Amino acid sequence: MTVYNIQNQWGGSSAPWHDGGVLNIGNRPDQLPIALHIQSGDGGLSFTGTMTYQGEGPIGLRATRVTENCYHAENQWGGKDAPWHDAGLFLLGARDGQNAVAFDLTSHDGQTVTGTMTYAGEGPIGVKGTKSPGVAFDATNQWGGSGAPWHQGGQWVLGCRPDQPVVGLEVSSHDNGKTLTGTMTYKGEGPIGFRGTRTMANTYSVVNQWGGNDAPWHPGGEWVLGCRGKQGVVAISAKGEGKGLTGTMMYAGEGPIGLTLVPSVAHVHATA
């Protein structure tokens, strides 16, 4: 998974840069994306175009929206009649109720991206992004009992320590998801304090605390929690052993629903 924390700029080259949320534009664990050129002709419900991974030429990309800012992506190589391959979930955009409709991004090293993107109803705006240490997860939810079906829950991004997975999350909100407080646990440690402040649709700026109630708070990364935009997350209780998490969550105005988080990985390469 290749997650980027991005900023956007509008109003000219000397204008300030603004928080742009989190993008995920690739799910190959050992191959970073270096280009993304896609557009939407239906207001952000779907995208078509090309992308490029390190060591390859451009390959086809098509993506269909499944939840707020989350798209199921497929890649094609070998000609227009060749088969399409599952590329996992992408995060494309971060605004509440305003879909992205175009991306024109490039990278020299896969660690940073630059270019432009467009939200519906606007012109192109600048993009600059840095690869995030956060880990992307495919989320599913269940309601209606243990035998009920599981439903797409979007793509989440957790943590800020690339070599130390999140194995526990116990947080709740008293303001309909604008803020989340509680504890989290990284593998090999005990629980530490957690505070998250919602900055965009499902994006939270997180800080952590350890060492007691009077200890300082430390940057904890940009997280993506939930997939319903205006319906904020108000509780999460999930545990795991380092490869994923399971438990329950609540959206504002609802009761608890089942939650499963599995790391986002696409195993098929164009060179296969």
Side-chain angles (χ1 to χ4, degrees), residues 181-264:
T181 60
T183 64
M184 66 167 292
T185 307
Y186 281 104
K187 190 171 184 177
E189 298 183 5
I192 59 177
F194 177 101
R195 292 195 312 212
T197 301
R198 193 178 184 203
T199 58
M200 301 189 77
N202 300 298
T203 307
Y204 289 79
S205 178
V206 171
V207 291
N208 295 127
Q209 183 189 51
W210 53 86
N213 292 337
D214 297 325
W217 288 83
H218 306 268
E222 295 292 312
W223 293 39
V224 177
L225 302 169
C227 70
R228 298 185 183 176
K230 291 182 173 64
Q231 190 179 11
V233 174
V234 296
I236 304 170
S237 176
K239 296 181 180 180
E241 297 182 355
K243 295 184 179 180
L245 296 99
T246 60
T248 63
M249 67 173 293
M250 291 176 60
Y251 281 103
E254 297 184 5
I257 59 177
L259 173 67
T260 298
L261 298 172
V262 177
S264 302

Side-chain angles (χ1 to χ4, degrees), residues 47 72 75 105 110 116 129 142 148 155 159 161 170 172 194 212 215 235 257:
F47 284 93
H72 175 237
N75 290 135
L105 306 177
T116 64
Q142 183 188 51
Q155 187 170 71
R161 302 178 186 178
E170 300 287 341
S172 61
F194 177 101
I257 59 177

Side-chain angles (χ1 to χ4, degrees), residues 118-136:
T118 307
Y119 279 102
E122 299 183 5
I125 58 178
V127 175
K128 64 178 181 181
T130 302
K131 190 174 181 294
S132 168
V135 177

